[in-house]
Amino acid sequence: MVLKVFFPSCCSSADSGILIGRWLSEQSSAVVLAVVHFPFIPVQVKQYLGEVQHLTKVSLSVLGSWSNSKQEKEEGLSEFLEDLGTIFSHEPWIQISKEGDSKFWSCSTLQKHSSSPKEEEVILVYYDQRKVMLSHLHPPLDTGDGRAEDASKLSAIFDTVARSRVLFMTDRYDEGPIKLTHWQSEGVEASIIVELLKQTSVPACMLFLLSLVSGICRSRVLKFWPLSFLWSKLSTCEQLGHRLQHLQVISSNKKAQTQTQLMRKANIFVSLLIDVALGILLMSWLYRKNRIGHLADTLIPVADHVAEELQDLLQWLMGAPAGLKMNRALDQVLGRFFLYHIHLWISYIHLLSPFIEMILWYVGLSACLGLTVALSILSDIIALLTFHIYCFYVYGARLYCLKIYGLSSLWRLFRGKKWNVLRQRVDSCSYDLDQLFIGTLLFTILLFLLPTTALYYLVFTLLRLLVVIVQGLIHLLVDLIDSLPLYSLILRLCRSYRLAAGVKFRVLEQQDGKPLRLLMQINPLSYGAVVQTYRLPTYSCYPKDSWASLCKKLFLGELIYPWKHKGEKQD
């Protein structure tokens, strides 16, 4: 039988004493947590372990003895250690001794209460107590090769060290009847400022602002039309609502129950902090050297240039585009209809031109709420400035869709079929001569008018897709800032042991007649696994249709709504 003893490397220079830890009988393992120095009173040690066990719910006991003595004192100390085994009566009693400056340690077991004691092979495993205590072990998936079972055994060791945090609150130099040696003997890890940041997630001065914004957003005014429509369709409102949920999470008084919830709070806090910092940098850049004034001055010429290009495109479509022969009457009607829309839009832009600089000046102030809010406002501005292109796309798509469904219905008429609305299927049907004549006439008219309508629909759909692609790139950047677990990535970069994917063992020394000495090292999670595990959810403004469904809708002329969110049904 092989006995595994996990010994903290920080106790290798501790004075002689007894070993405190947990015995894992199902794994034949002993996890040493601290060393109690001589002199001590056994009753006080038992009382102290009882108090710690009541707080941590971990069955702690005295596992054995630790000797860090010189050669001339070894005989008297060995007799005293045997007497300690009788007092604390743990089976098996582990004896670890460091012989002077030798690199080989002695580790043996005693079974004084057993009638037939057995010789056990001992493996001494060193571990970094501080790293194991602060680590969060991520078990791998059970693939059938035994990795999940090994991870469950390691999780018991990680859990024992993490839950025994109370035991590490007493330093070796603290006053008291019991003197301990553990990882804090080499210094406490965090400063006072870091510990305060762990306890409070937001400053107290933000609580009033959060309550005010939360009260406004929960008011019934936003539930009435058209405010409810604007709140659900504008990207800025969606982003503000999303960030409000984040603020409510990090300002909540409810304590995180699991490591995942704690990491989620930290990721949200860092994401908000970096988002606001980038927004303030953008705001300072905009208001420096009158860049907002230059932007307002260039907006009107750009709008005029886009209008001229659209007018030239419509003039080209009203002629003979690419040598195609179009239906002249329908072509002229559609062309003049769209030209009139462009004229109305340009008149509206010039009407707003005196107020554009003031509007941009106030819009630039919104960057202090975060870079994502500024990007969402930019997406809404693009949607408003290209609203005429969206109208062209809707008109063309509706007209094209009407003709496609009309042609498909008349095609069923020629085959003696009809669409059964109640049963949602195609049934056989007999038509008379008048119905066939009118159906043939309508089919011919729609078929010859289809190329003209299809060309307008194709051109404006491509323009609409261009605008949607630009907005999609902006929303991808917003989703990246919202969902990227920045705190976890920084933790993986600076302190990789905090996110453990497993452990590896390195042989320190091996000699006949001596216990095998191993060093347990932590394998950190990969960066891809960190992003996948701690990625934050977003509201995601992109269509959830597949590519095949999207192409089918474009071919049939059905409208594509890029603002539809997850969980919503498209009309």
Side-chain angles (χ1 to χ4, degrees):
M1 185 177 181
V2 179
L3 175 63
K4 297 180 288 295
V5 179
F6 291 85
F7 189 81
S9 56
C10 56
C11 296
S12 58
S13 59
D15 297 335
S16 300
I18 55 175
L19 305 174
I20 294 178
R22 181 185 179 188
W23 171 253
L24 303 175
S25 57
E26 64 277 3
Q27 302 181 19
S28 299
S29 302
V31 183
V32 179
L33 298 174
V35 175
V36 178
H37 302 167
F38 296 123
F40 56 83
I41 301 175
V43 177
Q44 293 179 344
V45 174
K46 292 182 179 181
Q47 182 180 2
Y48 177 73
L49 291 180
E51 295 175 356
V52 174
Q53 183 174 345
H54 177 71
L55 293 175
T56 61
K57 307 301 180 183
V58 179
S59 57
L60 301 179
S61 59
V62 178
L63 301 176
S65 60
W66 158 254
S67 175
N68 187 7
S69 61
K70 300 297 182 179
Q71 186 69 27
E72 59 271 11
K73 299 182 180 179
E74 184 178 357
E75 295 181 358
L77 185 60
S78 61
E79 296 178 357
F80 180 70
L81 294 178
E82 292 182 3
D83 296 337
L84 287 178
T86 306
I87 296 174
F88 291 102
S89 66
H90 182 272
E91 286 287 333
W93 182 260
I94 303 171
Q95 290 182 330
I96 305 177
S97 62
K98 182 179 180 182
E99 302 173 355
D101 297 331
S102 175
K103 66 177 182 178
F104 296 105
W105 290 21
S106 175
C107 184
S108 60
T109 58
L110 295 177
Q111 297 180 353
K112 300 184 65 176
H113 300 280
S114 177
S115 58
S116 57
K118 299 179 182 179
E119 285 292 333
E120 294 182 350
E121 183 180 353
V122 180
I123 298 179
L124 195 60
V125 181
Y126 293 92
Y127 71 96
D128 193 324
Q129 197 174 55
R130 169 173 163 268
K131 291 183 178 181
V132 172
M133 184 187 66
L134 299 176
S135 298
H136 177 53
L137 183 63
H138 298 74
L141 297 176
D142 191 359
T143 56
D145 55 357
R147 293 180 60 192
E149 183 179 356
D150 295 338
S152 63
K153 294 180 180 179
L154 289 172
S155 63
I157 299 170
F158 277 73
D159 183 67
T160 299
V161 180
R163 291 168 59 187
S164 304
R165 185 184 294 265
V166 178
L167 185 67
F168 307 138
M169 295 301 178
T170 305
D171 195 76
R172 180 176 59 177
Y173 303 104
D174 290 345
E175 296 182 358
I178 298 177
K179 306 296 183 180
L180 298 176
T181 292
H182 43 74
W183 72 275
Q184 285 212 98
S185 302
E186 300 177 359
V188 181
E189 172 201 12
S191 62
I192 298 177
I193 298 178
V194 176
E195 293 295 332
L196 290 176
L197 288 178
K198 290 181 180 179
Q199 300 297 328
T200 58
S201 53
V202 291
C205 59
M206 292 290 292
L207 294 180
F208 176 75
L209 180 60
L210 290 177
S211 60
L212 179 63
V213 176
S214 178
I216 294 175
C217 294
R218 286 197 301 265
S219 62
R220 295 183 178 180
V221 179
L222 297 177
K223 297 181 181 179
F224 294 106
W225 195 89
L227 292 179
S228 60
F229 178 81
L230 294 175
W231 183 264
S232 61
K233 300 307 178 185
L234 291 179
S235 302
T236 306
C237 297
E238 288 289 338
Q239 180 61 25
L240 286 175
H242 187 64
R243 282 307 191 190
L244 177 63
Q245 293 178 359
H246 284 175
L247 288 173
Q248 291 174 348
V249 169
I250 62 176
S251 61
S252 175
N253 294 328
K254 186 178 180 181
K255 188 177 181 180
Q257 301 295 329
T258 60
Q259 179 72 16
T260 304
Q261 294 178 357
L262 185 62
M263 292 292 289
R264 182 171 180 266
K265 269 193 171 185
N267 285 321
I268 290 175
F269 178 73
V270 175
S271 177
L272 276 170
L273 193 64
I274 295 180
D275 187 18
V276 173
L278 293 176
I280 292 175
L281 288 177
L282 176 62
M283 185 175 64
S284 63
W285 181 82
L286 286 175
Y287 288 99
R288 192 180 302 166
K289 297 181 181 180
N290 196 23
R291 288 189 174 94
I292 289 185
H294 297 319
L295 182 62
D297 294 337
T298 57
L299 188 60
I300 300 300
V302 169
D304 291 336
H305 179 70
V306 172
E308 291 176 1
E309 293 294 331
L310 286 176
Q311 288 175 351
D312 294 340
L313 177 63
L314 288 173
Q315 293 292 341
W316 179 70
L317 291 176
M318 293 172 63
L324 298 176
K325 186 176 182 180
M326 314 294 291
N327 185 282
R328 184 166 183 80
L330 180 61
D331 194 12
Q332 293 294 321
V333 170
L334 292 177
R336 291 176 181 177
F337 177 74
F338 292 135
L339 283 174
Y340 181 69
H341 272 70
I342 294 176
H343 174 71
L344 289 179
W345 184 252
I346 291 300
S347 301
Y348 174 70
I349 292 294
H350 282 279
L351 184 64
L352 289 179
S353 58
F355 310 100
I356 287 181
E357 183 175 358
M358 182 178 62
I359 293 174
L360 292 179
W361 194 87
Y362 284 109
V363 167
L365 291 178
S366 64
C368 64
L369 299 176
L371 179 63
T372 55
V373 176
L375 291 175
S376 299
I377 293 177
L378 176 62
S379 176
D380 291 333
I381 290 176
I382 292 176
L384 292 175
L385 292 179
T386 59
F387 185 71
H388 55 303
I389 295 179
Y390 175 72
C391 292
F392 296 164
Y393 163 70
V394 172
Y395 298 152
R398 289 303 187 191
L399 189 59
Y400 174 77
C401 180
L402 178 63
K403 292 188 176 182
I404 288 295
Y405 279 99
L407 288 173
S408 63
S409 179
L410 293 172
W411 178 249
R412 286 193 295 268
L413 182 142
F414 294 148
R415 295 182 298 150
K417 306 284 185 180
K418 73 171 184 178
W419 175 255
N420 193 329
V421 180
L422 296 178
R423 299 186 177 182
Q424 295 292 311
R425 67 182 185 183
V426 178
D427 295 334
S428 300
C429 182
S430 58
Y431 297 96
D432 55 18
L433 187 61
D434 294 338
Q435 291 174 332
L436 291 175
F437 175 74
I438 295 176
T440 303
L441 184 62
L442 292 176
F443 183 82
T444 304
I445 294 174
L446 292 178
L447 182 63
F448 281 102
L449 292 180
L450 182 63
T452 303
T453 308
L455 183 61
Y456 276 88
Y457 168 70
L458 176 62
V459 171
F460 292 127
T461 299
L462 292 177
L463 291 176
R464 176 60 184 165
L465 289 178
L466 180 62
V467 176
V468 169
I469 288 174
V470 174
Q471 289 183 288
L473 293 176
I474 295 176
H475 283 293
L476 281 178
L477 182 57
V478 172
D479 284 352
L480 181 64
I481 299 175
D482 285 342
S483 63
L484 199 63
L486 298 174
Y487 175 78
S488 300
L489 290 174
I490 295 173
L491 200 64
R492 170 63 179 86
L493 179 64
C494 300
R495 295 186 177 179
S496 58
Y497 61 86
R498 295 288 297 271
L499 305 175
V503 298
K504 61 182 178 181
F505 297 94
R506 182 168 63 90
V507 179
L508 293 180
E509 63 180 14
Q510 186 176 10
Q511 188 183 30
D512 295 338
K514 297 290 184 179
L516 177 63
R517 294 176 61 189
L518 303 177
L519 176 63
M520 186 175 74
Q521 297 175 332
I522 295 177
N523 282 332
L525 277 176
S526 62
Y527 287 98
V530 171
V531 174
Q532 185 178 3
T533 304
Y534 296 106
R535 185 180 179 88
L536 297 172
T538 58
Y539 64 92
S540 299
C541 289
Y542 56 85
K544 58 180 179 180
D545 298 305
S546 61
W547 284 105
S549 176
L550 189 62
C551 293
K552 180 182 177 181
K553 287 185 176 183
L554 290 174
F555 178 76
L556 296 178
E558 298 181 9
L559 295 181
I560 305 298
Y561 296 98
W563 58 73
K564 289 295 180 181
H565 304 172
K566 288 184 177 179
E568 286 189 282
K569 294 183 179 179
Q570 294 190 6
D571 299 331

